């Protein structure tokens, strides 16, 4: 009888970096993340609402709690060997009226950005406001839920004019595996109406994982490595001063799309 050989399996790299340990560590990390969200919702935020009646101060402290929770979670991911990362130019993020625009290759992108930009606002999926593990942080930090309504666009532009930093993922969802980012114009429409400056953050992964529709337990054969790089600032007035808003938004969206496509096409050394 001839041996049956799977040609796909032959092309896969061997499992490395203590694959089985990473699997258990990933299960532990996701459990910790869910429990952390419940802890914030049930233990941290209720007394905060009682002790801090001022809405602005309560929002700032809620975001501070999320910022430090995410930083601890990132450290857990690194210490348990799930991933490594490098963040270039983080000191340029967090300025008043700054919109941070990033591509969205994985589930952890928002964790890294909100864990490196203190007191940042963020446009998040509408479903997160109803999820029992994330509803508390989303509501108490007053993150903007993306229901694509005019009120959402107005609110996002308003917080930028008020001097907040706003994190936006123009794709609206995670980038499908094997595809390039495709930006919706909504982010540029918000920037035109409220941002003082727009800063692109390119997110690269040397091993894709936690993509759209991919379960947490399908961990990669090698340890994930993230590289975050803040790019050059973009002034929305470059387009608004010369074109009406619809055309300006389209031109700015094309500029950002081309920038991300070029940067993501560059070779990046896979350092461990």
């Amino acid at each position: 009888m001839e041996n049956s050989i799977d040609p796909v399996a032959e092309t896969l790299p061997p499992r490395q970096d203590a694959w089985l340990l990473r699997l258990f560590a990933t299960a532990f990390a996701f459990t910790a993340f869910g429990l952390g969200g419940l802890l914030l919702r049930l233990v941290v935020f209720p007394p905060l609402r009682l002790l801090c009646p001022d809405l602005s101060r309560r929002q700032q402290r809620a975001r501070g709690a999320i910022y430090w929770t995410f930083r601890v979670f990132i450290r857990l991911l690194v210490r348990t060997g799930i991933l490594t990362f490098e963040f270039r130019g983080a000191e340029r993020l967090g300025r008043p009226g700054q919109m941070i625009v990033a591509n969205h290759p994985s589930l952890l992108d928002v964790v890294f950005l909100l864990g490196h930009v203190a007191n940042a606002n963020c446009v998040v999926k509408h479903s997160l406001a109803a999820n029992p593990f994330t509803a508390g942080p989303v509501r108490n930090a007053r993150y903007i839920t993306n229901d694509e309504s005019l009120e959402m666009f107005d609110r996002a532009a308003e917080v930028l004019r008020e001097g907040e930093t706003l994190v936006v993922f123009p794709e609206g969802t995670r980038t499908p595996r094997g595809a390039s980012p495709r930006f919706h114009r909504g982010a540029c429409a918000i920037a035109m109406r409220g941002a003082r400056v727009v800063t692109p953050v390119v997110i690269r992964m040397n091993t894709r994982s936690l993509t759209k529709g991919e379960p947490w337990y399908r961990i990669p054969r090698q340890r994930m490595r993230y590289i975050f790089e803040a790019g050059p600032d973009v002034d929305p007035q470059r387009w608004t001063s010369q074109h009406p808003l619809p055309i300006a938004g389209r031109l700015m969206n094309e500029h950002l799309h081309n920038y991300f496509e070029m940067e993501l096409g560059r070779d990046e050394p896979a350092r461990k």
Side-chain angles (χ1 to χ4, degrees), residues 145-196:
T145 57
N146 185 10
D147 56 5
E148 298 185 349
S149 65
L150 291 177
E151 291 78 8
M152 184 277 291
F153 286 101
D154 289 340
R155 175 60 182 156
E158 179 185 6
V159 300
L160 285 166
R161 291 193 296 267
E162 291 174 350
E164 293 188 27
T165 302
L166 181 65
V167 177
V168 179
F169 297 95
E171 296 171 83
T173 187
R174 281 168 277 173
T175 313
R177 188 179 289 273
S180 299
R182 289 291 179 267
F183 292 170
H184 300 293
R185 296 182 189 176
C188 290
I190 294 169
M192 298 291 175
R193 297 168 59 192
R196 302 178 192 176

